[in-house]
Amino acid sequence: EAGVTQFPSHSVIEKGQTVTLRCDPISGHDNLYWYRRVMGKEIKFLLHFVKESKQDESGMPNNRFLAERTGGTYSTLKVQPAELEDSGVYFCASSQEGTANYGYTFGSGTRLTVV
Amino acid sequence: EDQVTQSPEALRLQEGESSSLNCSYTVSGLRGLFWYRQDPGKGPEFLFTLYSAGEEKEKERLKATLTKKESFLHITAPKPEDSATYLCAVHHPNRDDKIIFGKGTRLHILP
């Protein structure tokens, strides 16, 4: 079974540019999550999709971040325009159940550096 | 504010030297505490879920325990391949689909 795939693995962009991160969850997993770790901080929740619907987007930092999951398959997270404080590692995770109790499967993350 | 605090931040052990990692939490009404392992350049990998005080879970050289205020991850006779960052997390108090992570403990096992 293929795991959660994220790309790119690394991205370096200039402040003010736009970047789009992609996540392909495990096939059949209706639940998809985005988390982020900024340097020196803990991993923090951004949002949760159930199929194509946003179940909870309370962790999204501001309106420069836009997440989509068209068709309930892969998801994209767009940052526009990027700011220096957006640098960090963005993780995607998926699960069959809509609860953390059985564990999430995380991708390897996208390391975003805004310069 | 609900939070998860892990200690120590980093730990170096000789191969075979057993030790414990600590995770203390302040979230009210705990409904699940999780341990994950993270290798460099990888995402967190799920290890255990603990639900109530007194519960224990084991996997190879790892054993997780839970009290009303904290959890321990005991590592018995570790090997170099156990080197990783170990992350503790708890359910958000109001949502089962959201978890709150600690900063992790970086464990390095010397051969």
Side-chain angles (χ1 to χ4, degrees):
Chain A
E1 172 182 82
V4 176
T5 304
Q6 293 186 246
F7 51 94
S9 56
H10 294 83
S11 180
V12 180
I13 61 170
E14 292 185 350
K15 176 181 173 181
Q17 288 187 321
T18 297
V19 63
T20 300
L21 314 181
R22 173 167 168 151
C23 169
D24 286 72
I26 291 174
S27 178
H29 280 192
D30 287 341
N31 295 276
L32 185 149
Y33 313 84
W34 284 97
Y35 280 77
R36 175 176 77 168
R37 183 169 195 160
V38 297
M39 189 175 295
K41 301 283 190 177
E42 63 276 17
I43 298 172
K44 285 192 173 179
F45 171 86
L46 295 178
L47 86 159
H48 170 206
F49 282 102
V50 177
K51 296 185 180 180
E52 67 275 9
S53 299
K54 292 175 185 175
Q55 187 77 6
D56 180 359
E57 53 182 333
S58 61
M60 295 287 264
N62 50 60
N63 60 10
R64 295 185 293 103
F65 289 76
L66 175 64
E68 295 180 322
R69 192 183 182 196
T70 307
T73 54
Y74 70 91
S75 174
T76 58
L77 180 64
K78 180 190 290 187
V79 185
Q80 179 182 29
E83 298 289 344
L84 298 179
E85 63 264 26
D86 301 331
S87 295
V89 183
Y90 289 76
F91 292 104
C92 175
S94 72
S95 67
Q96 277 191 318
E97 305 294 332
T99 171
N101 290 354
Y102 308 106
Y104 295 151
T105 303
F106 281 84
S108 293
T110 294
R111 180 175 295 278
L112 175 64
T113 303
V114 183
V115 297
Chain B
E1 181 179 316
D2 299 316
Q3 62 178 8
V4 177
T5 304
Q6 294 189 245
S7 62
E9 288 187 11
L11 182 63
R12 294 166 69 92
L13 300 172
Q14 290 294 138
E15 183 174 1
E17 181 184 0
S18 301
S19 188
S20 297
L21 313 182
N22 177 264
C23 170
S24 63
Y25 58 90
T26 57
V27 63
S28 55
L30 182 74
R31 294 176 294 111
L33 182 142
F34 316 99
W35 283 98
Y36 281 80
R37 169 191 170 128
Q38 185 175 20
D39 293 298
K42 302 292 185 183
E45 176 188 349
F46 174 71
L47 294 173
F48 307 111
T49 301
L50 300 167
Y51 294 100
S52 57
E55 187 175 2
E56 298 183 353
K57 293 274 180 75
E58 286 190 63
K59 181 178 182 178
E60 295 182 354
R61 294 174 292 281
L62 302 176
K63 183 169 79 172
T65 61
L66 181 64
T67 71
K68 288 187 177 179
K69 292 294 183 185
E70 59 191 348
S71 177
F72 293 93
L73 185 65
H74 306 279
I75 302 175
T76 302
K79 298 182 178 181
E81 54 263 40
D82 295 322
S83 297
T85 295
Y86 290 85
L87 299 165
C88 176
V90 299
H91 267 311
H92 186 278
N94 299 320
R95 298 191 65 90
D96 275 358
D97 59 347
K98 184 190 299 187
I99 58 177
I100 302 168
F101 280 95
K103 291 185 178 181
T105 293
R106 296 189 311 278
L107 177 65
H108 186 55
I109 308 300
L110 302 167

